[in-house]
Amino acid sequence: MTTFVDRVELHVAAGNGGHGCASVHREKFKPLGGPDGGNGGRGGDVILVVDQDVTTLLEYHHSPHRRATNGKPGEGGNRSGKDGTDLVLPVPDGTVVLDADGQVLADLVGQGTSFVAGQGGRGGLGNAALASARRKAPGFALLGEPGKAQDIVLELKTVADVALVGYPSAGKSSLISVLSAAKPKIADYPFTTLVPNLGVVATGSTVYTIADVPGLIPGASQGRGLGLEFLRHVERCAVLVHVLDTATLESDRDPLSDLDVIEAELRAYGGGLEGRPRLVVLNKIDVTDGRELAEMIKPELEARGYQTFEVSAVSHEGLKELSFALAKIVADTRAAEPAQESTRVVIRPKAVDDAGFTVTPEESAEGDVLFRVRGEKPERWVRQTDFANDEAVGYLADRLNRLGVEDQLVKAGARAGDGVAIGADDNAVVFDWEPSLAAGAEMLGRRGEDHRFDAPRAAVTRRRDKQAERDEADEEFRDFDPFA
């Protein structure tokens, strides 16, 4: 049974905003007391938060679909809907969040670090909030905005200062068990370690974490064995420790060739490991042959530039010197890091010529010109419009006109009846553009009506004229007599 998972695909969906309410206050002797529809509640967010008590992504492996609650709709009597509850998902320290294309969205390191993976939708305004001097009793309300839904990938990269790497059964688990209080599984067969093990070591005034990574074999960077799956766990470490088995019973292996193979795999993997400090540990010197081999190859390793230690996880020989050497490298690395600056609030004022939207002419599939409008406000307004209500559509037209969309359409060469699309290609609202009248809301009649929809639209008229021409041509063809 799987007990450790360090990569999952998670499907998150934020809550939808609640719809606004269109209501009119009524009481005895006051049948039309004015609009009193409340606003809809905000949809809940999906938030990833680092929790030190969580060490694996196993929970999301079994339940990959997560959804926050929706906001409640508004009600009459100026009662606003309840906001949706945020969904907080605890993740291990060192979790990297990627989108479906592999782009990094967030790197969550440190207790309490959070990332909003799904933004909840805004609640729609009720007709009480939409009332104005010109529109005293709106007969419509705005719809709640849908919450953001997306697929993300969570990858765990262990946050450790020291990483032990080496062949299976080189003694890495035994070493971490005597250097720290960690209790990994130890046995005399390859791939005993199936998941990274973390331990905390206190040496002098320096406290650092040490990770035991599952054994590497030739081809690990291409996916052989367990290497590729767990090599990401050494990316954050300050120092790499090569654990070499000096008492191996395999005739085709020796410590120097093992070192060359592991170094080749680390270079092939990349991840910034090329310039990381390295130490070499010659393990199992409690075995007679192992001590002799260690003494024989240590000068050659030092000639290559490696700081080398002869140790035994069984007799604890050489562990004190190794621990202090690791503590010094970790302390020096921490001291060389730039000082943490306090978080600054960056204010980016809107440019003077930034209209907040763009109008781009495009050629449609039928060969006609389509004008696409993109921008946060126009797209949000479209999502919140009830197109079954003419007054709501008229209100949308007024808002777009005030924003300057119609002026930009005219500058782009749009004419009455041309197609206009607001939104992305896969989720756009397309309509035939009819320039608004100079007068806006004051031309509205009864609630739910807009006189601008009474007359046929220019595009409809043109289509009718073209259809009439085709019908006339078909009639002439049927009346044509080739023998006359």
Side-chain angles (χ1 to χ4, degrees):
M1 179 180 177
T2 302
T3 58
F4 179 85
V5 174
D6 63 348
R7 189 180 191 279
V8 296
E9 183 175 344
L10 193 62
H11 313 278
V12 297
N16 300 328
H19 299 330
C21 175
S23 173
V24 176
H25 178 69
R26 290 180 174 86
E27 60 182 79
K28 191 174 182 180
F29 306 118
K30 196 181 287 187
L32 296 177
D36 68 346
N39 302 331
R42 176 189 63 85
D45 297 336
V46 179
I47 307 173
L48 305 177
V49 180
V50 173
D51 188 344
Q52 297 287 4
D53 295 331
V54 179
T55 58
T56 176
L57 300 173
L58 179 64
E59 180 182 354
Y60 308 116
H61 173 72
H62 294 307
S63 302
H65 297 271
R66 299 301 175 104
R67 185 180 185 88
T69 58
N70 298 330
K72 300 297 183 180
E75 299 179 4
N78 294 305
R79 289 173 292 181
S80 295
K82 183 180 178 181
D83 291 341
T85 304
D86 293 339
L87 178 62
V88 179
L89 303 178
V91 295
D93 191 6
T95 300
V96 179
V97 186
L98 305 97
D99 62 14
D101 298 326
Q103 299 295 322
V104 176
L105 301 177
D107 192 353
L108 305 179
V109 178
Q111 174 71 18
T113 305
S114 62
F115 170 70
V116 179
Q119 185 78 40
R122 300 189 187 192
L125 297 179
N127 64 342
L130 296 173
S132 64
R134 294 192 303 171
R135 183 182 278 105
K136 297 184 182 296
F140 68 98
L142 298 185
L143 304 179
E145 187 178 11
K148 183 178 181 181
Q150 64 174 340
D151 295 339
I152 59 176
V153 176
L154 303 183
E155 283 189 353
L156 175 58
K157 295 183 179 181
T158 303
V159 180
D161 300 302
V162 179
L164 305 180
V165 296
Y167 265 75
S169 298
K172 301 184 296 299
S173 297
S174 300
L175 198 58
I176 194 175
S177 68
V178 295
L179 285 173
S180 69
K183 300 300 179 185
K185 181 180 179 181
I186 300 173
D188 58 355
Y189 56 85
F191 296 118
T192 306
T193 302
L194 299 177
V195 301
N197 296 303
L198 278 179
V200 179
V201 183
T203 302
S205 60
T206 304
V207 178
Y208 60 91
T209 55
I210 186 169
D212 163 26
V213 181
L216 305 179
I217 62 174
S221 59
Q222 282 74 44
R224 291 193 61 195
L226 302 176
L228 181 62
E229 185 176 355
F230 293 108
L231 270 171
R232 69 170 70 96
H233 292 281
V234 303
E235 290 185 20
R236 302 183 190 273
C237 64
V239 56
L240 288 171
V241 177
H242 285 283
V243 181
L244 303 180
D245 186 358
T246 60
T248 179
L249 300 178
E250 300 180 30
S251 58
D252 58 342
R253 282 181 49 200
D254 64 82
L256 292 178
S257 63
D258 289 355
L259 176 64
D260 294 338
V261 168
I262 301 303
E263 279 292 335
E265 295 304 322
L266 294 176
R267 285 194 301 270
Y269 176 75
L273 301 177
E274 298 81 4
R276 212 63 58 88
R278 284 158 165 74
L279 294 182
V280 173
V281 171
L282 299 174
N283 194 21
K284 303 182 182 180
I285 62 172
D286 54 288
V287 180
T288 303
D289 294 341
R291 183 182 296 274
E292 293 177 356
L293 182 58
E295 293 174 351
M296 184 184 308
I297 64 175
K298 182 177 180 180
E300 183 173 347
L301 291 171
E302 292 177 342
R304 294 188 184 185
Y306 292 108
Q307 190 176 1
T308 308
F309 295 86
E310 301 177 30
V311 304
S312 169
V314 175
S315 64
H316 294 195
E317 183 178 350
L319 294 182
K320 183 176 181 181
E321 294 80 0
L322 172 62
S323 180
F324 274 95
L326 293 175
K328 182 178 185 307
I329 294 178
V330 171
D332 293 344
T333 302
R334 292 173 180 172
E337 293 178 351
Q340 292 285 346
E341 296 184 0
S342 58
T343 304
R344 296 181 179 180
V345 178
V346 180
I347 300 176
R348 295 182 174 87
K350 181 180 177 181
V352 177
D353 57 347
D354 184 8
F357 65 92
T358 59
V359 177
T360 307
E362 299 178 0
E363 186 173 348
S364 65
E366 294 78 15
D368 300 327
V369 178
L370 180 71
F371 294 85
R372 187 172 299 279
V373 180
R374 296 301 306 272
E376 179 185 355
K377 285 185 177 180
E379 294 182 37
R380 172 161 51 87
W381 293 345
V382 165
R383 288 194 296 267
Q384 293 188 304
T385 298
D386 179 8
F387 286 94
N389 187 306
D390 285 351
E391 189 180 354
V393 177
Y395 177 69
L396 172 64
D398 291 340
R399 300 178 86 181
L400 295 175
N401 190 17
R402 287 195 300 269
L403 187 63
V405 173
E406 294 203 359
D407 293 339
Q408 292 298 323
L409 286 171
V410 172
K411 292 179 181 179
R415 298 178 303 167
D418 285 342
V420 175
I422 301 180
D425 296 343
D426 55 346
N427 190 26
V429 174
V430 183
F431 57 91
D432 296 329
W433 180 52
E434 293 295 335
S436 295
L437 300 174
E442 65 273 13
M443 294 296 296
L444 297 177
R446 294 175 298 177
R447 289 197 308 275
E449 295 181 355
D450 189 332
H451 294 310
R452 286 172 288 187
F453 292 89
D454 293 343
R457 292 174 292 174
V460 176
T461 304
R462 283 204 299 267
R463 283 197 293 268
R464 289 176 180 173
D465 293 341
K466 290 182 179 179
Q467 184 62 39
E469 292 177 1
R470 286 195 292 268
D471 293 343
E472 185 178 352
D474 292 342
E475 187 68 26
E476 292 178 356
F477 179 77
R478 285 194 295 269
D479 294 341
F480 174 71
D481 187 358
F483 301 102

